[in-house]
């Protein structure tokens, strides 16, 4: 659940209008604020051509989309756990929220674009 959580939270950012400037690696920190999931996790994700990609061993179990206004969503399903996240990307950072109905928990995430 730990990897599932941070990857989904991490994944929710990019915009169509500025996609090229947001391409790259982003470092994400996710925090649980409701429920009994892991309290804090971190990791990296990749943004490429308005698509959200996991950078770990399971790149195909997540889907995500980015809207022209900078809002985005993602859905990750792994080992019976389901996490949904949404958020907004800015030029160098991103913020959002996540929830897991399967694990009855949720929280927030932040991300910073790496140089």
């Amino acid at each position: 659940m730990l990897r599932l959580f941070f990857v989904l939270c991490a994944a929710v950012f990019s915009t169509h209008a500025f996609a090229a400037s947001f391409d790259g690696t982003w470092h994400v920190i996710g925090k649980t604020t409701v429920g009994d999931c892991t309290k804090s996790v971190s990791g990296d994700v990749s943004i490429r051509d308005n698509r959200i990609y996991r950078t770990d061993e399971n790149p195909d179990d997540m889907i995500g989309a980015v809207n022209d206004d900078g809002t985005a969503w993602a859905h990750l399903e792994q080992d019976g756990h389901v996490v949904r996240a949404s958020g907004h990307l800015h030029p160098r950072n991103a913020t959002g929220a996540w929830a897991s109905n399967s694990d009855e928990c949720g929280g927030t995430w932040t991300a910073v674009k790496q140089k």
Side-chain angles (χ1 to χ4, degrees):
M1 180 62 191
L2 174 67
R3 277 191 95 49
L4 175 72
F5 165 75
F6 99 76
V7 169
L8 185 61
C9 291
V12 188
F13 46 88
S14 184
T15 66
H16 179 68
F18 301 103
S21 66
F22 294 112
D23 284 358
T25 301
W26 292 72
H27 185 72
V28 179
I29 298 171
K31 297 196 182 280
T32 298
T33 58
V34 176
D36 194 29
C37 288
T38 303
K39 294 302 175 193
S40 180
V41 293
S42 65
D44 293 335
V45 297
S46 177
I47 302 294
R48 189 171 63 245
D49 298 326
N50 286 6
R51 298 290 306 196
I52 303 162
Y53 294 95
R54 290 180 66 167
T55 58
D56 65 4
E57 71 279 359
N58 296 309
D60 297 326
D61 57 9
M62 182 180 67
I63 60 171
V66 180
N67 299 313
D68 289 343
D69 65 359
T71 60
W73 63 269
H75 174 96
L76 181 64
E77 196 166 335
Q78 183 180 39
D79 300 327
H81 302 281
V82 177
V83 177
R84 291 177 179 85
S86 61
H88 191 87
L89 180 70
H90 302 280
R92 301 289 309 162
N93 58 58
T95 60
W98 67 273
S100 174
N101 290 344
S102 63
D103 294 305
E104 299 180 353
C105 54
T108 61
W109 61 266
T110 60
V112 176
K113 188 174 182 183
Q114 303 300 289
K115 294 184 180 193

